[in-house]
Amino acid sequence: MTLVVIGPVTEDLVIIGEDKYSKTGGATYFQSFVFEEFYPDYLAIVNCADDKFACNFPDPDKVKIIKKDNTHFFINEYPFPDDLDIRRQLSNFADIPILKGDLEDILPENIDGFVLNPLNRFDFPVETVEFLKSFEIPVFISLQGFLRTPFDKANENFTIDLQDFDELHSILKGVSIIFLDESEKSIVSDRFDVDEMVITDGSNGSRIISDDEIKIDAVGCGSVVDTTGCGDTYMAAYISQRLKAKSSKQAGNFASLIASEKINYFGPYKSKK
């Protein structure tokens, strides 16, 4: 059985104070390093314009690329190096949707679940989401990308705004778990028809809402070096444990620990082995 993780890979520019560096990014990219360690039977499916990105994943043989005519570009700017909870994002808002037809011939036969990581509203049309839900297996969704919309079109790279939209409720109906942060929760305040909501809040920890609400404390770390991809790391670690039949609390505590380890260095999660 295979966990299928789907979503764009990105070309990222990270700005922390006066320091700048470029790197590969995207939720599916960051999550692949976590799954490689804790749920190695996975397949990453990414949409982009260049095959070169596969070699940046922990195991290029577990990556399938849907070739498109553009690639997502993101700027993650942290203006205050002493407070990396504060971030400004910009994007080119690439319109490169993942279609049902893109997936039909590349999905494995036996699938444990789907992880959907949109970076903007174009990535997963409603028809694609409904196709994946029709498999009647767990579907895990990172909500943030569905809410992203261009705010300022005066520059080449658009400032990102977050907005609810009419189709969101049908997209999320019947999903196993959605992942979002507290600012996103304030935008979509309704209770969705999902089994669980996992809501992160940076250094303030996270909370899990199902039948009850569970508070998960953040795990302290020696130094905060790079928080980009921390939420994606948490999400992957959480899913890896829920698929192993761990409780929400066990999965949350584990995910908090793994996310705290990732913060200690640049780039994706690295095993301590």
Side-chain angles (χ1 to χ4, degrees):
M1 300 289 281
T2 302
L3 178 66
V4 180
V5 190
I6 313 172
V9 65
T10 69
E11 294 187 86
D12 282 1
L13 174 64
V14 179
I15 305 172
I16 303 177
E18 300 297 320
D19 298 326
K20 299 180 181 180
Y21 64 95
S22 299
K23 64 181 186 62
T24 300
T28 298
Y29 170 75
F30 282 107
Q31 290 172 0
S32 68
F33 287 82
V34 180
F35 289 128
E36 184 69 24
E37 182 70 18
F38 302 110
Y39 206 89
D41 190 359
Y42 72 94
L43 173 68
I45 299 177
V46 298
N47 52 325
C48 60
D50 199 325
D51 290 333
K52 69 179 182 181
F53 290 102
C55 66
N56 296 327
F57 282 71
D59 186 345
D61 291 335
K62 296 178 182 176
V63 181
K64 290 186 182 294
I65 291 179
I66 300 171
K67 290 292 289 291
K68 298 290 182 177
D69 60 3
N70 201 353
T71 298
H72 284 278
F73 176 72
F74 263 77
I75 298 174
N76 289 286
E77 181 179 5
Y78 300 89
F80 307 107
D82 294 332
D83 188 357
L84 296 184
D85 281 344
I86 298 176
R87 177 177 66 174
R88 177 173 177 256
Q89 286 190 310
L90 298 94
S91 171
N92 62 344
F93 276 87
D95 187 357
I96 50 173
I98 299 170
L99 305 175
K100 174 184 175 182
D102 294 327
L103 297 171
E104 286 176 318
D105 294 333
I106 62 174
L107 292 175
E109 289 188 7
N110 299 306
I111 305 172
D112 285 333
F114 293 109
V115 181
L116 277 56
N117 295 307
L119 287 180
N120 66 39
R121 205 168 295 175
F122 304 129
D123 286 318
F124 288 94
V126 174
E127 295 78 10
T128 302
V129 179
E130 293 303 321
F131 167 64
L132 297 175
K133 288 195 290 189
S134 73
F135 284 72
E136 298 185 347
I137 57 177
V139 177
F140 311 100
I141 288 182
S142 173
L143 185 64
Q144 185 180 70
F146 282 116
L147 301 179
R148 285 184 176 132
T149 186
F151 175 69
D152 179 7
K153 296 186 178 182
N155 301 309
E156 180 180 354
N157 295 305
F158 303 148
T159 303
I160 293 171
D161 193 18
L162 300 177
Q163 294 181 6
D164 199 351
F165 63 105
D166 291 340
E167 293 177 319
L168 184 60
H169 289 266
S170 64
I171 287 173
L172 298 180
K173 184 177 181 180
V175 167
S176 300
I177 307 176
I178 61 171
F179 295 80
L180 64 165
D181 66 22
E182 290 289 357
S183 63
E184 294 149 14
K185 179 63 172 64
S186 67
I187 296 170
V188 291
S189 57
D190 293 339
R191 179 70 169 91
F192 293 108
D193 183 16
V194 299
D195 294 337
E196 287 184 12
M197 297 175 65
V198 179
I199 307 168
T200 58
D201 192 19
S203 59
N204 294 317
S206 55
R207 56 194 179 104
I208 302 162
I209 301 175
S210 53
D211 294 332
D212 299 310
E213 180 170 326
I214 301 168
K215 181 69 171 68
I216 304 294
D217 293 330
V219 175
C221 57
S223 60
V224 178
V225 176
D226 178 16
T227 61
T228 302
C230 186
D232 305 319
T233 298
Y234 181 109
M235 178 175 170
Y238 188 90
I239 291 170
S240 74
Q241 300 306 293
R242 293 296 276 143
L243 287 174
K244 295 176 181 177
K246 301 293 186 181
S247 70
S248 298
K249 185 173 181 60
Q250 288 173 317
N253 286 329
F254 178 79
S256 183
L257 173 63
I258 299 304
S260 74
E261 292 178 358
K262 179 261 168 289
I263 290 173
N264 289 316
Y265 39 75
F266 287 106
Y269 173 79
K270 299 178 180 65
S271 171
K272 287 189 172 183
K273 291 182 180 179

